[in-house]
Amino acid sequence: MLSNDCIFCKIIKGEIPSAKVYEDDKMLVFRDIEPKAKVHLLAVAKTHFKLLEEADGNSKDILSYMLFKIPEIAKQNGCDNGYRLIINQGDDAGQTVFHLHIHILGGENLPW
Ligand code: 5GP
Ligand code: ZN
């Protein structure tokens, strides 16, 4: 299920443009608009939920699918020497978009 007032749902629906690098029926991967590394991609499930603890059966299956699909997508997009995955969860982590997303950072040697 997608939400009407979520920026990532709007990107999934094509209502807001994005630089897509991968898409299938379960997930979308696009470039972060304010990259924090040479390569900075965002992987989102095509279903709206904010936190890992809110994932239901279907979202859990999609999350697992995404984690196993990401290595191939990362390598095809300049992260063939390693990359970092980040999932911000809530306020203390500075989560700003409340649609669960996996940051994929790489393309260079990353400072912590
Ligand atoms: P968070 O802080 O919630 O983990 O990450 C949200 C990320 O989404 C940020 O890195 C931010 O730059 C990115 N972002 C926010 N709005 C947009 C947008 O409209 N398009 C794209 N491509 N990225 C966005
Ligand atoms: Zn959403």
Side-chain angles (χ1 to χ4, degrees):
M1 278 267 287
L2 297 176
S3 153
N4 287 328
D5 52 10
C6 163
I7 198 160
F8 287 174
C9 282
K10 287 182 180 169
I11 286 176
I12 290 165
K13 288 186 273 188
E15 294 170 7
I16 293 177
S18 68
K20 296 179 186 178
V21 304
Y22 177 82
E23 181 166 22
D24 63 27
D25 59 327
K26 298 182 193 65
M27 69 187 280
L28 172 67
V29 185
F30 53 96
R31 294 190 190 282
D32 195 293
I33 206 165
E34 280 182 48
K36 311 290 187 304
K38 212 165 179 182
V39 177
H40 187 172
L41 308 175
L42 297 171
V44 298
K46 287 189 170 178
T47 182
H48 180 89
F49 62 104
K50 174 184 172 185
L51 300 168
L52 287 168
E53 68 208 52
E54 292 169 2
D56 61 12
N58 179 49
S59 348
K60 282 180 186 166
D61 286 348
I62 297 180
L63 273 173
S64 162
Y65 172 78
M66 287 168 72
L67 283 175
F68 288 99
K69 198 78 194 165
I70 280 173
E72 169 192 333
I73 299 165
K75 280 182 193 138
Q76 285 168 354
N77 285 279
C79 298
D80 37 356
N81 198 39
Y83 53 91
R84 180 173 298 149
L85 302 182
I86 296 174
I87 308 179
N88 288 324
Q89 295 287 276
D91 293 340
D92 278 1
Q95 185 176 7
T96 57
V97 178
F98 304 125
H99 180 128
L100 192 130
H101 49 281
I102 305 174
H103 294 259
I104 304 165
L105 296 152
E108 62 182 322
N109 197 262
L110 299 167
W112 178 243

